[in-house]
Amino acid sequence: MTIDASKQVYESAATGWQRGLYDDIKTTFRAPVVNWFFRTLMANQPTFLRYAWGQLKPAFETRAFARYEVEYRDTVLTVLEEDRTLPHYDPTTVGLSPAEFREARGQLATLDTVIPRLAFLFETLDRALSDEPVGESPAEDWEATAPFPEMDRESGLSVTMTPFEDVPDSLAETVASIQDVHGFDSGLPTIYRSLAQWPPLLETMWNDLESVLESTAFEAACVSSWSNAAEHASALAYTPRLSPADLRDVGMSDEEIEGVQGLAEQFRHGPVETVLPAVTLYAATLDATGPRRLG
């Protein structure tokens, strides 16, 4: 069974328990957004999503996860900052009004919060569904089971995007270059469709950051960020029961299991491996990143 990634249940259409689950995801992810991955599962495999979220949610609620979050962010930025001086923008340098700049910065703050969570989610789910170990080396320290702490972070804004077909022609060369660098055959990921709402901002950022994204330093940052996610998945104190055998025990067919395995692999591998760390970089240029140290 192949999951149709074009089918999604959007927040505006979710009712009953589906709406409640979306609210729970937003609260747990500490961001006012429900990722495409969840919306796709809700449209194609709602029963699996309900079960899987119950298995995964506790992993996001510990102090150990908070430490992973700040280390993910710091790992990406430290590697890049040691390689070169990164640009930092204000409204005048990117041709935006103060109101437009605040909106762009608020949306990037939301994406910066979500990205470490998505990296961990994709890593953990792909491993579990592939019958690879998760939580095989559980941490024994206090942070492993202590609650997620209060963190000093800017409140993010809901993420809005320009539909790909509505991206202005003036960005055609930029779009083609973005697709080439990240390995997309068509379309653009969320970060770029968000930034495309402000063409001068996206064009300025891309002109300055394309060389960064093609550097060996960024390659190293990507490897390190995914290693952080893998290490945290191995150290989980609460191991989700999401192996193929576990899913058969709750009534899923082999065909249904193959479908969610394929979706998890699609979201863990390929362009996502560079897109997620790139979001942290973009957020840093507008000073929209969350904390890099845990107090």
Side-chain angles (χ1 to χ4, degrees):
M1 173 183 176
T2 301
I3 287 181
D4 183 356
S6 68
K7 290 176 56 180
Q8 300 178 48
V9 175
Y10 291 93
E11 291 184 62
S12 59
T15 60
W17 72 264
Q18 294 181 334
R19 180 177 178 180
L21 191 145
Y22 278 178
D23 287 344
D24 194 25
I25 289 171
K26 289 189 290 185
T27 299
T28 304
F29 270 40
R30 292 167 168 77
V33 63
V34 176
N35 182 259
W36 176 35
F37 181 76
F38 294 115
R39 301 194 307 263
T40 299
L41 280 175
M42 188 68 84
N44 290 269
Q45 282 288 348
T47 302
F48 167 76
L49 176 58
R50 186 172 182 170
Y51 172 76
W53 180 246
Q55 295 295 309
L56 291 164
K57 179 182 174 179
F60 296 97
E61 298 185 312
T62 65
R63 186 177 177 87
F65 188 86
R67 183 166 297 283
Y68 152 74
E69 177 191 341
V70 299
E71 289 178 350
Y72 177 101
R73 188 175 292 121
D74 187 61
T75 293
V76 171
L77 294 178
T78 296
V79 172
L80 297 178
E81 289 164 349
E82 289 177 349
D83 182 62
R84 68 186 72 194
T85 300
L86 300 177
H88 290 272
Y89 304 114
D90 59 38
T92 58
T93 58
V94 292
L96 299 185
S97 70
E100 290 173 323
F101 189 84
R102 284 193 299 271
E103 180 67 25
R105 188 169 179 271
Q107 293 195 26
L108 275 173
T110 292
L111 293 173
D112 172 75
T113 297
V114 168
I115 287 307
R117 290 161 172 79
L118 291 180
F120 169 76
L121 171 71
F122 298 157
E123 175 69 26
T124 301
L125 198 54
D126 184 50
R127 288 171 62 169
L129 291 172
S130 300
D131 216 8
E132 296 177 6
V134 174
E136 72 275 17
S137 303
E140 302 291 343
D141 60 0
W142 168 73
E143 289 187 338
T145 52
F148 195 100
E150 292 294 324
M151 293 176 66
D152 182 17
R153 74 167 87 239
E154 182 175 338
S155 296
L157 300 177
S158 295
V159 178
T160 55
M161 292 171 281
T162 299
F164 179 69
E165 59 272 16
D166 294 337
V167 173
D169 292 341
S170 61
L171 291 174
E173 290 187 13
T174 298
V175 168
S177 184
I178 290 169
Q179 291 173 329
D180 182 60
V181 168
H182 288 295
F184 281 95
D185 294 327
S186 61
L188 286 174
T190 297
I191 175 61
Y192 293 108
R193 284 184 288 132
S194 175
L195 292 173
Q197 296 173 105
W198 307 280
L201 174 62
L202 176 54
E203 194 159 28
T204 299
M205 284 180 155
W206 188 251
N207 287 339
D208 291 344
L209 297 178
E210 180 180 8
S211 63
V212 179
L213 295 171
E214 293 182 311
S215 68
T216 56
F218 183 70
E219 182 180 355
C222 291
V223 171
S224 295
S225 70
W226 287 102
S227 293
N228 281 359
E231 289 168 8
H232 189 62
S234 294
L236 284 181
Y238 309 116
T239 304
R241 297 188 63 84
L242 290 167
S243 71
D246 293 325
L247 299 184
R248 292 187 192 98
D249 286 345
V250 297
M252 288 186 69
S253 68
D254 286 345
E255 185 180 24
E256 290 172 324
I257 293 169
E258 289 174 4
V260 295
Q261 285 174 327
L263 186 69
E265 182 178 6
Q266 174 187 339
F267 273 80
R268 168 58 184 87
H269 301 285
V272 71
E273 294 180 338
T274 59
V275 170
L276 295 194
V279 174
T280 304
L281 168 62
Y282 282 109
T285 66
L286 298 192
D287 193 27
T289 53
R292 295 171 62 173
R293 298 287 186 274
L294 189 61

